[in-house]
Amino acid sequence: MPTLPSDFLDGVRDAAPLHLGIAPFGLVAGVAAVEQGLSIFHAIGFSSVVFAGASQLAMIELLGADAPLAIVVGTAVVVNLRMLMYSASIAPHFRDFAARSKAVSSYLLTDQAYALSIARYGRDGETDRFAYYFGVAASLWVVWQFATIAGALLGTGLPPEWGFEFAAPLVFLALLVPALKNRAAAASGLTGGVVAVAVVVAGVPFHLDIIVAAVVGVLAGLAVESFGGEL
C-alpha cells in the first residue's frame, strides 16, 4: 500500500490548528449564502468554484442586494488582489513545478497556505515543496467545503450568540503573531492593522481596505528594514 510523503503529512499537521478557525468561518459562509436566497446546491457550488472566504461573503452580500453582476465580480477581484502579491512571492519556490501542479496550486492558494508554506520553505530547504503545500492547502480546502455544506444545510439554525464571525480574525492572528520576528515585521503588521481599521471607518468603497492596508504595511516594513534591527 503506497504511503503519503512525509512532507505532505507535515503540511496537514501544521494546518490542523487552523482548521479549528476555518470550520466556523465556512459555516458562516454557508449560512450567509442560504440566507441571501441561494439554494443549497448553488451555495456548495459557489464555495467550490470561488474558494475564497472574504470575497465569497462580499459577493453573497452583493447578490443579496441585487447588485449588478459586474459589481459583484469586480468586488471579488479587488478583495482577492492580495493573491497577486502572494503569487509573486511564492512563485520562485514553484518554478520547477509541472504546469498541472502550478494550476492546482494557484486554485488552492489562500492566506493560510501561503503563510505556512513560505515559513516552511525558509526553515527547511530540503522540503518537498509541492507535497508540503498540497498537504496544507488541500486539507484547508476539504475542511472549508465540508463546513460550507454544513452551514448551507443548517441554514439559519446556528445561534448568533455563538459568535462565529470572530473565527476568521482569530485564524489570521494565529498566522500573524509567529511571523513578528523583527522590527520590520512588527512595524508592517501594526501599520497594516491600524490602516485597515482606519480605511473601514472612513468608508472606502469596494472593499479596498485589505489592499490599502497590505500596501501601506509592506511599505512600513520596508522602511524599517532599511534601517535594520532585529527584535
Side-chain angles (χ1 to χ4, degrees):
M1 184 175 179
T3 58
L4 294 170
S6 60
D7 287 320
F8 172 85
L9 297 176
D10 285 347
V12 175
R13 184 165 49 250
D14 289 349
L18 302 180
H19 296 165
L20 299 176
I22 291 296
F25 190 18
L27 283 171
V28 171
V31 170
V34 173
E35 284 183 340
Q36 294 298 339
L38 272 68
S39 70
I40 291 176
F41 294 108
H42 285 151
I44 295 171
F46 185 60
S47 185
S48 299
V49 172
V50 179
F51 185 45
S55 63
Q56 277 183 232
L57 292 175
M59 293 174 73
I60 289 169
E61 180 182 347
L62 291 170
L63 288 171
D66 293 324
L69 184 59
I71 297 297
V72 176
V73 175
T75 298
V77 170
V78 169
V79 172
N80 279 333
L81 279 177
R82 68 191 187 283
M83 296 299 164
L84 286 175
M85 295 186 289
Y86 295 165
S87 298
S89 173
I90 207 169
H93 300 285
F94 290 0
R95 186 177 294 116
D96 298 329
F97 288 6
R100 183 180 300 176
S101 297
K102 290 180 180 178
V104 171
S105 299
S106 64
Y107 166 68
L108 293 174
L109 182 62
T110 60
D111 303 275
Q112 298 86 356
Y114 167 79
L116 288 177
S117 297
I118 283 292
R120 171 66 174 242
Y121 300 159
R123 291 194 311 268
D124 184 359
E126 301 300 317
T127 297
D128 181 332
R129 296 189 299 276
F130 181 74
Y132 181 82
Y133 177 87
F134 191 70
V136 173
S139 67
L140 291 169
W141 184 90
V142 170
V143 171
W144 178 260
Q145 301 307 323
F146 275 102
T148 304
I149 292 170
L153 292 175
L154 289 171
T156 57
L158 294 175
E161 58 269 18
W162 286 9
F164 283 137
E165 65 272 14
F166 290 106
L170 291 177
V171 169
F172 289 117
L173 282 174
L175 291 169
L176 174 65
V177 173
L180 303 179
K181 298 178 179 179
N182 52 53
R183 289 194 179 94
S188 181
L190 178 61
T191 303
V194 171
V195 171
V197 173
V199 172
V200 170
V201 172
V204 175
F206 307 119
H207 295 275
L208 286 171
D209 51 297
I210 297 174
I211 304 303
V212 174
V215 171
V216 176
V218 168
L219 292 176
L222 289 173
V224 173
E225 188 176 39
S226 65
F227 295 100
E230 297 288 326
L231 285 177

